[in-house]
Every structure is written in structure tokens, then in C-alpha cells.
Amino acid sequence: MTTATTVRLHKALYLPAAIQQAAEDFKDFAKFHVELDGDHHVVTLTDPDPEADGDIAAEFCNFALAHTAARKRRKPG
Amino acid sequence: MTSPELEHFDPAKGQMTLSLDAGLYPIEVLYGAAFVLLDRAYVLLDRDGEEGRNSRYLVHLRAKSPLDEAGLRALAGEFGNELLTQALRRLIVKQNGNLIEDITTRALAGAAGGSAPVDFLEDDDGLDFLDDPLGIAVPWEEKYPKKGGGNP
């Protein structure tokens, strides 16, 4: 049975490129699928690594936020 | 600026939700404050309402390590303080941006080595380096020949 976790990231607050970069960072720990639903990017995590330590979805969100902040800092607006 | 409001508080799960007026806090301030907490908490940002005056940012925080109620409230307070710090920092950079840029430019120019003065470079009188209008290169014997002619 496949475990799926979904997180919703507001498109005004998270950059698509930052979400992709975070997904790339965590590709060894889960599979990521991103789609747009209204005002949110909906990220679905499947097949999480059972031996991974910590909350993969929550860490993924932190990374997406950090990458967004860094990219906005380099290129404001 | 008003402080963030506590929308949801669950000490048992170590999580809470804060909300703040999107019209009062620039997005860069929100990013800056959230960034500071990333090593201690899971942060998820969201927005309630359409972009505009009545819009509010929602900040979902969950501590990475177990925290009691006081610890969780302290985390919320720290986030509020960090919002003010980031806002002040942004204001200072905005006010002194030109001055900071000017000082940095001068420092870099000084480190790169000085250039020749502009008026020196423009001082071109059309002379070649072999020209000798003052006769400085003329040997003394030629300039002042002996009147008697022969050797002593």
C-alpha cells in the first residue's frame, strides 16, 4: 500500500522553481508530484523512505520556503 | 505595526497558527522572520483572502523538538520580535542604500589601485619625448664652446 501525503503551498508565497528545487533535494526520500489547484501548488509525496528520519513533508516545506526566500532576495519582485 | 494574532494553539502537538495583516507586513519581512525559525520549527506559510487590504498571512509553526506551552508561546513571541527586526533592517537599508553603495564603491576603487589624475592625462602639448625645447639635452661643451679653440 502506498502512503501519500499532500501539502498545499500558496502560489503567491512559494515560487514554482523553489518547489522543484526542494523536490530535487528530497528525491532520495520520496516521490514528488506537483500540480496547480487554484491559488495553491499541491505537492503529493508518495513512497516515502521508511528509514528516513524526521518528517519528510514538513522538511520539504521548510526547504521550499528557504529556496523561495533566497531566490526572492537575489531577484526581488 | 500590530503583533501577530494567535489563531490556533495546540501545545499537545507543539503547533500553532499565527496570522498577520498582509497590508502591514511586506512579504520580505515575513520571509526573513520565517527563515530565522527554520532550524527549530517547521514553517508553512499561507494566505487567507485575496491580495488586498483584508488579506492576512497565516503562519503555521510546529516545533521540531518537544516544547511545553511556555516554550511554544516563547516561539510565537520570538517570531513577532523577528518580524519587527526584519522590518527595521529593511527600513535602514532603504534609507541608507545610497550611502552604503557609495562607501562600498569607494572601498573597491581604493583596493583596485588609484588611477592617474584626469588633468594629467589631458595635458597634451603635442611634444614628442625626443623634443627638447629648453635645450636640456644639449651637451655643455656644445652650449658653451671654448673661445681659444685648441687643447690646453
Short mmCIF file of all heavy atoms in Angstrom, two decimals, chain A residues 7-10 12-15 39-40 54-55 58-59 61-63 65-70 72-73 76-77, chain B residues 27-28 30-32 34-35 37-51 57-58 62 64 89:
data_model
loop_
_atom_site.label_atom_id
_atom_site.label_comp_id
_atom_site.label_asym_id
_atom_site.label_seq_id
_atom_site.Cartn_x
_atom_site.Cartn_y
_atom_site.Cartn_z
N VAL A 7 0.66 18.37 0.54
CA VAL A 7 0.85 19.71 1.14
C VAL A 7 0.42 20.75 0.11
O VAL A 7 0.60 20.57 -1.09
CB VAL A 7 2.30 19.96 1.58
CG1 VAL A 7 2.65 19.12 2.79
CG2 VAL A 7 3.29 19.70 0.47
N ARG A 8 -0.16 21.82 0.61
CA ARG A 8 -0.65 22.89 -0.26
C ARG A 8 0.18 24.15 0.00
O ARG A 8 0.21 24.66 1.13
CB ARG A 8 -2.13 23.15 0.00
CG ARG A 8 -3.01 21.98 -0.35
CD ARG A 8 -4.46 22.20 0.08
NE ARG A 8 -5.09 23.30 -0.65
CZ ARG A 8 -5.61 23.18 -1.86
NH1 ARG A 8 -5.58 22.00 -2.50
NH2 ARG A 8 -6.18 24.21 -2.44
N LEU A 9 0.84 24.63 -1.02
CA LEU A 9 1.71 25.79 -0.91
C LEU A 9 1.13 26.92 -1.76
O LEU A 9 0.95 26.76 -2.97
CB LEU A 9 3.13 25.45 -1.37
CG LEU A 9 3.79 24.23 -0.70
CD1 LEU A 9 5.13 23.93 -1.35
CD2 LEU A 9 3.96 24.46 0.79
N HIS A 10 0.84 28.04 -1.13
CA HIS A 10 0.19 29.16 -1.83
C HIS A 10 1.11 29.69 -2.93
O HIS A 10 2.29 29.94 -2.69
CB HIS A 10 -0.14 30.27 -0.84
CG HIS A 10 -1.21 31.19 -1.34
ND1 HIS A 10 -0.99 32.11 -2.34
CD2 HIS A 10 -2.52 31.33 -0.98
CE1 HIS A 10 -2.11 32.78 -2.58
NE2 HIS A 10 -3.06 32.33 -1.76
N ALA A 12 1.29 32.52 -4.26
CA ALA A 12 1.81 33.88 -4.05
C ALA A 12 2.98 33.89 -3.07
O ALA A 12 3.70 34.88 -2.97
CB ALA A 12 0.70 34.78 -3.52
N LEU A 13 3.17 32.79 -2.35
CA LEU A 13 4.21 32.74 -1.32
C LEU A 13 5.35 31.78 -1.63
O LEU A 13 6.43 31.88 -1.03
CB LEU A 13 3.58 32.35 0.02
CG LEU A 13 2.50 33.31 0.54
CD1 LEU A 13 1.77 32.70 1.74
CD2 LEU A 13 3.13 34.63 0.93
N TYR A 14 5.11 30.84 -2.53
CA TYR A 14 6.15 29.85 -2.88
C TYR A 14 6.37 29.89 -4.39
O TYR A 14 5.41 29.79 -5.17
CB TYR A 14 5.73 28.45 -2.47
CG TYR A 14 5.66 28.24 -0.97
CD1 TYR A 14 4.52 28.57 -0.26
CD2 TYR A 14 6.75 27.71 -0.27
CE1 TYR A 14 4.45 28.39 1.12
CE2 TYR A 14 6.69 27.52 1.09
CZ TYR A 14 5.54 27.86 1.79
OH TYR A 14 5.47 27.67 3.15
N LEU A 15 7.63 30.01 -4.80
CA LEU A 15 7.97 30.02 -6.22
C LEU A 15 8.00 28.60 -6.76
O LEU A 15 8.52 27.69 -6.09
CB LEU A 15 9.34 30.67 -6.44
CG LEU A 15 9.46 32.17 -6.14
CD1 LEU A 15 10.92 32.60 -6.24
CD2 LEU A 15 8.60 32.97 -7.09
N ASP A 39 -5.29 28.66 -6.11
CA ASP A 39 -4.22 29.52 -5.61
C ASP A 39 -3.05 28.73 -5.01
O ASP A 39 -2.14 29.33 -4.45
CB ASP A 39 -4.77 30.46 -4.53
CG ASP A 39 -5.61 31.56 -5.14
OD1 ASP A 39 -5.45 31.84 -6.34
OD2 ASP A 39 -6.45 32.14 -4.41
N HIS A 40 -3.11 27.43 -5.08
CA HIS A 40 -2.09 26.62 -4.41
C HIS A 40 -1.38 25.66 -5.37
O HIS A 40 -1.98 25.15 -6.31
CB HIS A 40 -2.72 25.80 -3.26
CG HIS A 40 -3.17 26.64 -2.11
ND1 HIS A 40 -4.39 27.27 -2.08
CD2 HIS A 40 -2.54 26.96 -0.95
CE1 HIS A 40 -4.51 27.92 -0.93
NE2 HIS A 40 -3.40 27.77 -0.23
N GLY A 54 12.71 11.75 10.62
CA GLY A 54 12.03 13.04 10.63
C GLY A 54 10.82 13.09 9.71
O GLY A 54 10.47 12.10 9.06
N ASP A 55 10.22 14.25 9.67
CA ASP A 55 9.01 14.46 8.88
C ASP A 55 9.41 14.98 7.50
O ASP A 55 9.77 16.16 7.35
CB ASP A 55 8.12 15.48 9.62
CG ASP A 55 6.76 15.64 8.98
OD1 ASP A 55 6.65 15.40 7.76
OD2 ASP A 55 5.82 16.00 9.69
N ALA A 58 7.24 17.96 6.09
CA ALA A 58 7.47 19.22 6.79
C ALA A 58 8.85 19.79 6.43
O ALA A 58 9.01 21.00 6.23
CB ALA A 58 7.35 19.02 8.29
N GLU A 59 9.85 18.90 6.37
CA GLU A 59 11.19 19.36 5.97
C GLU A 59 11.18 19.89 4.54
O GLU A 59 11.84 20.88 4.22
CB GLU A 59 12.21 18.23 6.10
CG GLU A 59 12.59 17.86 7.53
CD GLU A 59 13.47 18.89 8.21
OE1 GLU A 59 13.83 19.90 7.57
OE2 GLU A 59 13.79 18.71 9.41
N CYS A 61 8.70 21.32 3.06
CA CYS A 61 8.10 22.67 3.11
C CYS A 61 9.11 23.71 3.57
O CYS A 61 9.16 24.83 3.04
CB CYS A 61 6.88 22.69 4.04
SG CYS A 61 5.50 21.76 3.40
N ASN A 62 9.91 23.36 4.57
CA ASN A 62 10.95 24.28 5.03
C ASN A 62 11.94 24.60 3.91
O ASN A 62 12.35 25.74 3.71
CB ASN A 62 11.71 23.68 6.22
CG ASN A 62 11.09 24.05 7.56
OD1 ASN A 62 9.99 24.58 7.61
ND2 ASN A 62 11.79 23.76 8.64
N PHE A 63 12.34 23.57 3.18
CA PHE A 63 13.29 23.77 2.07
C PHE A 63 12.65 24.64 0.98
O PHE A 63 13.31 25.52 0.41
CB PHE A 63 13.73 22.42 1.49
CG PHE A 63 14.95 21.86 2.16
CD1 PHE A 63 14.93 21.54 3.51
CD2 PHE A 63 16.12 21.63 1.45
CE1 PHE A 63 16.06 21.02 4.14
CE2 PHE A 63 17.25 21.12 2.07
CZ PHE A 63 17.21 20.81 3.42
N LEU A 65 10.40 26.86 1.32
CA LEU A 65 10.35 28.23 1.84
C LEU A 65 11.73 28.89 1.79
O LEU A 65 11.88 30.04 1.37
CB LEU A 65 9.81 28.22 3.27
CG LEU A 65 9.75 29.57 3.99
CD1 LEU A 65 8.87 30.56 3.23
CD2 LEU A 65 9.22 29.39 5.41
N ALA A 66 12.74 28.14 2.22
CA ALA A 66 14.11 28.68 2.22
C ALA A 66 14.57 29.02 0.80
O ALA A 66 15.16 30.08 0.55
CB ALA A 66 15.07 27.68 2.86
N HIS A 67 14.29 28.13 -0.14
CA HIS A 67 14.68 28.39 -1.54
C HIS A 67 13.92 29.59 -2.10
O HIS A 67 14.48 30.39 -2.86
CB HIS A 67 14.40 27.16 -2.41
CG HIS A 67 15.34 26.02 -2.15
ND1 HIS A 67 16.69 26.19 -1.97
CD2 HIS A 67 15.13 24.68 -2.03
CE1 HIS A 67 17.27 25.02 -1.76
NE2 HIS A 67 16.34 24.09 -1.79
N THR A 68 12.64 29.71 -1.74
CA THR A 68 11.86 30.86 -2.22
C THR A 68 12.44 32.16 -1.68
O THR A 68 12.64 33.12 -2.43
CB THR A 68 10.38 30.74 -1.77
OG1 THR A 68 9.82 29.55 -2.34
CG2 THR A 68 9.57 31.94 -2.24
N ALA A 69 12.73 32.18 -0.37
CA ALA A 69 13.27 33.39 0.25
C ALA A 69 14.62 33.75 -0.40
O ALA A 69 14.88 34.93 -0.67
CB ALA A 69 13.44 33.17 1.75
N ALA A 70 15.46 32.75 -0.64
CA ALA A 70 16.77 33.01 -1.24
C ALA A 70 16.62 33.55 -2.66
O ALA A 70 17.31 34.50 -3.05
CB ALA A 70 17.59 31.72 -1.25
N LYS A 72 13.99 35.12 -3.95
CA LYS A 72 13.38 36.45 -3.89
C LYS A 72 14.42 37.49 -3.50
O LYS A 72 14.35 38.64 -3.91
CB LYS A 72 12.24 36.47 -2.88
CG LYS A 72 11.03 35.69 -3.32
CD LYS A 72 9.99 36.60 -3.93
CE LYS A 72 8.71 35.83 -4.21
NZ LYS A 72 7.71 36.69 -4.87
N ARG A 73 15.36 37.08 -2.67
CA ARG A 73 16.39 38.01 -2.22
C ARG A 73 17.33 38.36 -3.36
O ARG A 73 17.77 39.49 -3.50
CB ARG A 73 17.18 37.36 -1.08
CG ARG A 73 17.94 38.34 -0.26
CD ARG A 73 18.49 37.67 0.96
NE ARG A 73 19.23 38.61 1.76
CZ ARG A 73 19.81 38.29 2.89
NH1 ARG A 73 19.71 37.09 3.37
NH2 ARG A 73 20.48 39.19 3.57
N PRO A 76 14.45 40.47 -6.39
CA PRO A 76 13.23 40.95 -5.74
C PRO A 76 12.08 41.09 -6.73
O PRO A 76 12.28 41.43 -7.88
CB PRO A 76 13.63 42.33 -5.19
CG PRO A 76 15.10 42.36 -5.21
CD PRO A 76 15.53 41.44 -6.32
N GLY A 77 10.86 40.89 -6.21
CA GLY A 77 9.67 41.07 -7.02
C GLY A 77 9.08 39.82 -7.54
O GLY A 77 9.23 38.76 -7.11
N ILE B 27 6.19 41.24 2.26
CA ILE B 27 6.46 39.80 2.11
C ILE B 27 7.91 39.46 2.47
O ILE B 27 8.19 38.40 3.05
CB ILE B 27 6.12 39.35 0.67
CG1 ILE B 27 6.23 37.83 0.52
CG2 ILE B 27 7.00 40.01 -0.36
CD1 ILE B 27 5.12 37.08 1.15
N GLU B 28 8.85 40.39 2.20
CA GLU B 28 10.26 40.13 2.52
C GLU B 28 10.46 40.01 4.03
O GLU B 28 11.31 39.25 4.49
CB GLU B 28 11.16 41.25 1.98
CG GLU B 28 11.20 41.39 0.48
CD GLU B 28 10.03 42.18 -0.07
OE1 GLU B 28 9.26 42.76 0.73
OE2 GLU B 28 9.86 42.20 -1.30
N LEU B 30 8.20 38.89 6.15
CA LEU B 30 7.66 37.58 6.52
C LEU B 30 8.68 36.47 6.22
O LEU B 30 8.93 35.59 7.05
CB LEU B 30 6.36 37.33 5.76
CG LEU B 30 5.65 36.01 6.02
CD1 LEU B 30 5.19 35.92 7.47
CD2 LEU B 30 4.46 35.86 5.10
N TYR B 31 9.27 36.53 5.03
CA TYR B 31 10.29 35.53 4.67
C TYR B 31 11.46 35.57 5.65
O TYR B 31 11.95 34.53 6.08
CB TYR B 31 10.82 35.78 3.25
CG TYR B 31 9.88 35.37 2.14
CD1 TYR B 31 9.68 36.19 1.03
CD2 TYR B 31 9.20 34.17 2.17
CE1 TYR B 31 8.83 35.82 0.00
CE2 TYR B 31 8.35 33.79 1.15
CZ TYR B 31 8.17 34.63 0.06
OH TYR B 31 7.34 34.26 -0.95
N GLY B 32 11.91 36.77 5.96
CA GLY B 32 13.06 36.92 6.85
C GLY B 32 12.80 36.34 8.23
O GLY B 32 13.64 35.63 8.78
N ALA B 34 10.48 34.12 9.06
CA ALA B 34 10.27 32.66 8.97
C ALA B 34 11.61 31.94 8.82
O ALA B 34 11.83 30.88 9.41
CB ALA B 34 9.36 32.33 7.79
N PHE B 35 12.50 32.54 8.05
CA PHE B 35 13.80 31.93 7.78
C PHE B 35 14.59 31.70 9.07
O PHE B 35 15.26 30.68 9.23
CB PHE B 35 14.60 32.81 6.81
CG PHE B 35 15.78 32.15 6.19
CD1 PHE B 35 15.66 31.41 5.03
CD2 PHE B 35 17.03 32.24 6.78
CE1 PHE B 35 16.74 30.78 4.46
CE2 PHE B 35 18.14 31.62 6.22
CZ PHE B 35 17.98 30.88 5.06
N LEU B 37 13.52 30.96 11.94
CA LEU B 37 13.00 29.85 12.76
C LEU B 37 13.14 28.47 12.11
O LEU B 37 12.79 27.46 12.72
CB LEU B 37 11.51 30.09 13.07
CG LEU B 37 11.15 31.32 13.90
CD1 LEU B 37 9.66 31.30 14.23
CD2 LEU B 37 11.95 31.39 15.18
N LEU B 38 13.63 28.44 10.87
CA LEU B 38 13.63 27.18 10.13
C LEU B 38 14.43 26.05 10.80
O LEU B 38 14.14 24.89 10.60
CB LEU B 38 14.17 27.38 8.71
CG LEU B 38 13.23 28.08 7.73
CD1 LEU B 38 13.88 28.20 6.36
CD2 LEU B 38 11.90 27.35 7.61
N ASP B 39 15.44 26.41 11.59
CA ASP B 39 16.25 25.36 12.22
C ASP B 39 15.56 24.77 13.46
O ASP B 39 15.92 23.70 13.91
CB ASP B 39 17.63 25.91 12.61
CG ASP B 39 17.54 27.05 13.59
OD1 ASP B 39 16.51 27.75 13.57
OD2 ASP B 39 18.48 27.24 14.38
N ARG B 40 14.55 25.47 13.99
CA ARG B 40 13.89 24.99 15.21
C ARG B 40 12.43 24.60 15.00
O ARG B 40 11.82 23.97 15.86
CB ARG B 40 13.95 26.07 16.30
CG ARG B 40 15.31 26.17 16.96
CD ARG B 40 15.40 27.41 17.77
NE ARG B 40 15.43 28.59 16.92
CZ ARG B 40 15.04 29.80 17.30
NH1 ARG B 40 14.56 29.98 18.50
NH2 ARG B 40 15.12 30.82 16.48
N ALA B 41 11.86 25.02 13.89
CA ALA B 41 10.43 24.77 13.69
C ALA B 41 10.13 24.47 12.22
O ALA B 41 10.87 24.88 11.33
CB ALA B 41 9.63 25.98 14.15
N TYR B 42 9.05 23.74 12.02
CA TYR B 42 8.54 23.55 10.66
C TYR B 42 7.60 24.72 10.39
O TYR B 42 6.69 24.99 11.18
CB TYR B 42 7.79 22.23 10.56
CG TYR B 42 8.66 21.03 10.77
CD1 TYR B 42 8.43 20.15 11.83
CD2 TYR B 42 9.73 20.76 9.92
CE1 TYR B 42 9.23 19.04 12.03
CE2 TYR B 42 10.54 19.65 10.11
CZ TYR B 42 10.28 18.80 11.17
OH TYR B 42 11.09 17.70 11.37
N VAL B 43 7.86 25.41 9.30
CA VAL B 43 7.10 26.63 8.99
C VAL B 43 6.36 26.43 7.68
O VAL B 43 6.95 26.03 6.67
CB VAL B 43 8.03 27.85 8.88
CG1 VAL B 43 7.22 29.12 8.66
CG2 VAL B 43 8.92 27.99 10.10
N LEU B 44 5.08 26.70 7.69
CA LEU B 44 4.28 26.66 6.47
C LEU B 44 3.51 27.97 6.37
O LEU B 44 2.78 28.34 7.28
CB LEU B 44 3.31 25.48 6.50
CG LEU B 44 2.40 25.32 5.28
CD1 LEU B 44 3.22 24.99 4.03
CD2 LEU B 44 1.36 24.24 5.51
N LEU B 45 3.74 28.67 5.26
CA LEU B 45 3.06 29.96 5.06
C LEU B 45 1.83 29.78 4.18
O LEU B 45 1.81 28.93 3.28
CB LEU B 45 4.01 30.96 4.38
CG LEU B 45 5.34 31.26 5.08
CD1 LEU B 45 6.12 32.29 4.28
CD2 LEU B 45 5.12 31.74 6.50
N ASP B 46 0.82 30.56 4.47
CA ASP B 46 -0.39 30.53 3.63
C ASP B 46 -1.01 31.92 3.67
O ASP B 46 -0.56 32.77 4.44
CB ASP B 46 -1.38 29.49 4.17
CG ASP B 46 -2.33 29.00 3.07
OD1 ASP B 46 -2.31 29.58 1.96
OD2 ASP B 46 -3.08 28.05 3.32
N ARG B 47 -1.96 32.13 2.83
CA ARG B 47 -2.62 33.44 2.82
C ARG B 47 -4.13 33.24 2.84
O ARG B 47 -4.67 32.37 2.14
CB ARG B 47 -2.21 34.23 1.58
CG ARG B 47 -2.42 35.72 1.77
CD ARG B 47 -1.91 36.54 0.62
NE ARG B 47 -2.71 36.32 -0.57
CZ ARG B 47 -2.38 36.80 -1.77
NH1 ARG B 47 -1.27 37.46 -1.92
NH2 ARG B 47 -3.14 36.58 -2.81
N ASP B 48 -4.79 34.04 3.66
CA ASP B 48 -6.23 33.98 3.80
C ASP B 48 -6.82 35.18 3.08
O ASP B 48 -6.54 36.31 3.45
CB ASP B 48 -6.61 34.00 5.29
CG ASP B 48 -8.08 33.69 5.50
OD1 ASP B 48 -8.72 33.22 4.54
OD2 ASP B 48 -8.57 33.92 6.60
N GLY B 49 -7.62 34.95 2.07
CA GLY B 49 -8.24 36.04 1.33
C GLY B 49 -7.41 36.45 0.13
O GLY B 49 -6.24 36.10 0.00
N GLU B 50 -8.06 37.21 -0.74
CA GLU B 50 -7.41 37.69 -1.95
C GLU B 50 -6.40 38.78 -1.61
O GLU B 50 -6.47 39.38 -0.53
CB GLU B 50 -8.45 38.27 -2.92
CG GLU B 50 -9.38 37.22 -3.52
CD GLU B 50 -8.63 36.24 -4.40
OE1 GLU B 50 -7.85 36.68 -5.25
OE2 GLU B 50 -8.83 35.02 -4.23
N GLU B 51 -5.48 39.01 -2.54
CA GLU B 51 -4.48 40.05 -2.32
C GLU B 51 -5.18 41.39 -2.18
O GLU B 51 -5.99 41.77 -3.01
CB GLU B 51 -3.49 40.08 -3.49
CG GLU B 51 -2.27 40.90 -3.21
CD GLU B 51 -1.20 40.72 -4.28
OE1 GLU B 51 -1.49 40.06 -5.29
OE2 GLU B 51 -0.10 41.21 -4.09
N TYR B 57 -1.74 36.95 6.24
CA TYR B 57 -0.81 35.83 6.12
C TYR B 57 -1.05 34.87 7.28
O TYR B 57 -1.25 35.31 8.42
CB TYR B 57 0.64 36.32 6.19
CG TYR B 57 1.09 37.15 5.02
CD1 TYR B 57 1.67 38.40 5.21
CD2 TYR B 57 0.95 36.68 3.72
CE1 TYR B 57 2.09 39.17 4.14
CE2 TYR B 57 1.37 37.44 2.64
CZ TYR B 57 1.94 38.69 2.86
OH TYR B 57 2.36 39.44 1.79
N LEU B 58 -1.05 33.61 6.99
CA LEU B 58 -1.15 32.59 8.04
C LEU B 58 0.20 31.91 8.16
O LEU B 58 0.78 31.50 7.15
CB LEU B 58 -2.23 31.57 7.69
CG LEU B 58 -3.66 32.11 7.54
CD1 LEU B 58 -4.59 31.00 7.06
CD2 LEU B 58 -4.16 32.67 8.86
N ARG B 62 5.33 24.52 13.79
CA ARG B 62 5.38 23.29 14.61
C ARG B 62 6.81 23.09 15.07
O ARG B 62 7.74 23.07 14.23
CB ARG B 62 4.89 22.08 13.80
CG ARG B 62 4.94 20.77 14.60
CD ARG B 62 3.96 19.75 14.03
NE ARG B 62 4.22 19.41 12.64
CZ ARG B 62 5.01 18.41 12.27
NH1 ARG B 62 5.62 17.66 13.15
NH2 ARG B 62 5.19 18.15 10.98
N LYS B 64 10.27 21.55 16.14
CA LYS B 64 10.95 20.30 15.76
C LYS B 64 11.22 19.43 16.97
O LYS B 64 11.16 18.21 16.89
CB LYS B 64 12.27 20.63 15.05
CG LYS B 64 12.07 21.17 13.64
CD LYS B 64 13.40 21.30 12.91
CE LYS B 64 13.18 21.79 11.49
NZ LYS B 64 14.43 21.89 10.72
N ARG B 89 15.34 46.42 9.80
CA ARG B 89 16.51 46.22 8.94
C ARG B 89 16.21 46.69 7.51
O ARG B 89 17.01 47.34 6.86
CB ARG B 89 16.90 44.74 8.95
CG ARG B 89 18.10 44.41 8.10
CD ARG B 89 18.46 42.96 8.23
NE ARG B 89 18.89 42.62 9.58
CZ ARG B 89 19.16 41.40 9.98
NH1 ARG B 89 19.06 40.39 9.14
NH2 ARG B 89 19.55 41.15 11.20
#
